[in-house]
Amino acid sequence: MLAFRGTLDKAQIALFYIIIVLAGSASGGRALGIMLACLSFLSFNALFLPPYGTLSLANPWDWFVLI
């Protein structure tokens, strides 16, 4: 998805992460689900929200997307 991050919307990427978290939680339990949710939060912020490669946000409304 990194190759297409310029063309993908934030909502599309967030839905992909939600599917991963829900599938992992359903198959592995609550602990796995919480771990996947935390990793998804960090990777979504660092890889798909500008400025890329950091955990800071350029747009304050991106906090709404992350939560």
Side-chain angles (χ1 to χ4, degrees), residues 23-33:
S25 182
S27 65
R30 184 177 302 188
L32 180 62

Side-chain angles (χ1 to χ4, degrees), residues 19-54:
I19 291 170
I20 291 173
V21 171
L22 289 175
S25 182
S27 65
R30 184 177 302 188
L32 180 62
I34 291 172
M35 183 190 69
L36 287 173
C38 291
L39 289 174
S40 295
F41 176 87
L42 293 173
S43 65
F44 182 55
N45 187 4
L47 299 175
F48 294 104
L49 295 177
Y52 302 119
T54 64

Side-chain angles (χ1 to χ4, degrees), residues 4-19:
F4 301 107
R5 75 177 166 190
T7 59
L8 292 174
D9 188 41
K10 296 172 195 171
Q12 294 168 329
I13 298 167
L15 287 174
F16 178 74
Y17 277 119
I18 288 173
I19 291 170

